[in-house]
Amino acid sequence: MNDFWIACGHHLLDRDAGCGLVVTDEFLKAYFARPELMPPDDACEVERRLHRKMLADPRQMVGADEIAAIADGDARENWHFVLSFRDLLLRHPTLEAAYLSLLRSGANNLPPLFVNQLVHAILRNALDGCEDPFVLRAAELFFRSQRILPHEQSLLLGDEEIVGGRSPTPVLSLMSMLGATTDAQIDVLSDANADTYWRRSDQFDMAFDLTGGSRGPTALAQAMTRWISHLLGIEVAIEPLNELRDARLAWYVGLDAEATRMGDRLWHGEALDDHDAGRVLALFRLSFADASLINDDLEAEAVYLILAMTADQKVRVKPQNLVMGLPVKHLEATT
């Protein structure tokens, strides 16, 4: 069986009887060993002592007064965030339960970096045993921002951290044969190079083809299905759509902030102009295996999922919307 996303730390975690991820001392120590928390040469003794203490026992209590005594303001902030994240994990039996609790509380006190890392590890667990690199690359959208890569009529996505800050229009390696040059070259995931994904999965350097009719939308649908099943314990079927024809949006989920705004406008009977409609990247229809799970006041059994890009051609998926946005009865109990 191929391994992938090793950097998420899944090897450092245990699993309970229900296959949920259980935090370990080794996993917590990896956070305290991060460069942001390594005391610099000029760090105060309070910071140095705290760092030694947490590496020795990452579960021990830390008082607010101890954090306040750290001399450097940036260091205080870093310690506050990482300890808040640690405490969230320790309050719950699994990482999945911690994530769901965070969503249901509506709390917004953790930096997106920590939330994305939590999604990364949980999604690695949900996709354990998956042998399809297309599904895995599609799932990267859940925790890695993407940028549209212009290439003829194809809809290609590249990891924003990899292509951002380089050439604004990175050249794809498949085009290099034409003599184009740039400092940013990436491969487009294809049948020919799919086997290389396993050794490159932590590099995030493969572009993803989301063009309608390609394997991309189907792969993203499968990733979303696994995410919902793993976190909510319910079975759904998700199919890509080329367009919405005569469909009444009885319920929809925006997979990102832009898509949510567009869905809200359609819900209120507004029409999207060509510019906004052109920012819709993908559409999906979700149906429930057990229709009795659907809210009684929902007349239609289908839920429509919308994915869009920002005005500056970036894609920032919000996987929490797939958890919190479905019309499921007693959603708080589906864990």
Side-chain angles (χ1 to χ4, degrees):
M1 182 182 299
N2 290 302
D3 201 356
F4 59 97
W5 299 350
I6 296 172
C8 75
H10 71 96
H11 290 105
L12 303 176
L13 293 159
D14 289 336
R15 286 174 174 79
D16 67 4
C19 293
L21 296 174
V22 179
V23 71
T24 64
D25 286 358
E26 290 73 21
F27 185 78
L28 295 176
K29 287 180 181 181
Y31 276 87
F32 293 120
R34 287 180 62 92
E36 298 90 337
L37 291 181
M38 292 295 293
D41 293 339
D42 59 350
C44 69
E45 180 54 33
V46 175
E47 183 180 353
R48 293 179 181 278
R49 184 173 60 250
L50 177 60
H51 189 255
R52 291 193 300 268
K53 184 169 69 172
M54 300 315 295
L55 287 180
D57 180 6
R59 296 175 187 258
Q60 63 182 294
M61 296 296 296
V62 178
D65 56 340
E66 191 168 1
I67 301 300
I70 296 175
D72 183 76
D74 290 337
R76 287 197 302 272
E77 184 177 52
N78 289 339
W79 276 101
H80 169 74
F81 284 136
V82 77
L83 287 171
S84 295
F85 181 65
R86 181 206 65 167
D87 292 346
L88 171 69
L89 300 185
L90 293 181
R91 284 196 302 270
H92 299 279
T94 64
L95 267 65
E96 287 85 352
Y99 178 68
L100 290 171
S101 175
L102 182 67
L103 297 186
R104 289 164 181 163
S105 71
N108 191 26
N109 56 355
L110 283 178
L113 171 67
F114 287 98
V115 180
N116 287 338
Q117 289 173 345
L118 191 54
V119 169
H120 191 179
I122 294 171
L123 196 54
R124 172 59 182 82
N125 194 28
L127 292 168
D128 194 48
C130 179
E131 293 291 324
D132 188 342
F134 288 87
V135 174
L136 303 181
R137 177 59 183 89
E140 291 178 20
L141 274 67
F142 285 43
F143 58 92
R144 304 277 300 190
S145 296
Q146 307 289 309
R147 176 179 288 186
I148 303 298
L149 302 178
H151 178 60
E152 299 177 354
Q153 301 302 311
S154 297
L155 175 56
L156 302 180
L157 306 181
D159 188 279
E160 184 183 3
E161 185 175 325
I162 300 302
V163 302
R166 298 183 181 180
S167 168
T169 55
V171 177
L172 305 176
S173 60
L174 58 84
M175 298 166 60
S176 60
M177 66 184 69
L178 303 178
T181 59
T182 182
D183 62 346
Q185 290 192 1
I186 59 177
D187 296 318
V188 180
L189 180 64
S190 66
D191 289 328
N193 63 18
D195 283 344
T196 70
Y197 181 85
W198 305 109
R199 61 178 173 80
R200 301 168 62 172
S201 68
D202 285 310
Q203 300 175 22
F204 306 112
D205 62 350
M206 303 192 83
F208 182 62
D209 188 351
L210 195 59
T211 308
S214 72
R215 289 181 63 174
T218 299
L220 181 55
Q222 292 175 11
M224 291 190 289
T225 299
R226 294 280 287 265
W227 176 249
I228 293 169
S229 175
H230 183 74
L231 281 172
L232 299 182
I234 60 177
E235 299 303 318
V236 299
I238 302 176
E239 59 176 321
L241 303 174
N242 290 327
E243 59 180 332
L244 289 176
R245 287 187 176 179
D246 302 323
R248 186 171 62 85
L249 291 181
W251 200 278
Y252 64 92
V253 174
L255 299 176
D256 56 276
E258 295 296 320
T260 298
R261 282 192 281 269
M262 292 181 188
D264 289 346
R265 291 175 57 186
L266 292 171
W267 175 271
H268 290 99
E270 300 179 31
L272 300 181
D273 57 30
D274 291 342
H275 178 266
D276 286 342
R279 287 161 55 188
V280 175
L281 302 181
L283 297 166
F284 303 88
R285 180 168 51 225
L286 178 150
S287 56
F288 294 87
D290 182 358
S292 67
L293 293 173
I294 304 173
N295 289 342
D296 293 333
D297 57 352
L298 185 64
E299 298 178 6
E301 295 186 358
V303 173
Y304 293 93
L305 312 177
I306 308 170
L307 178 67
M309 65 178 174
T310 62
D312 56 355
Q313 297 191 321
K314 296 178 182 178
V315 183
R316 299 186 177 96
V317 171
K318 301 178 70 174
Q320 64 267 34
N321 290 4
L322 279 170
V323 177
M324 303 300 292
L326 296 179
V328 178
K329 295 178 183 176
H330 310 301
L331 186 60
E332 68 280 359
T334 55
T335 58

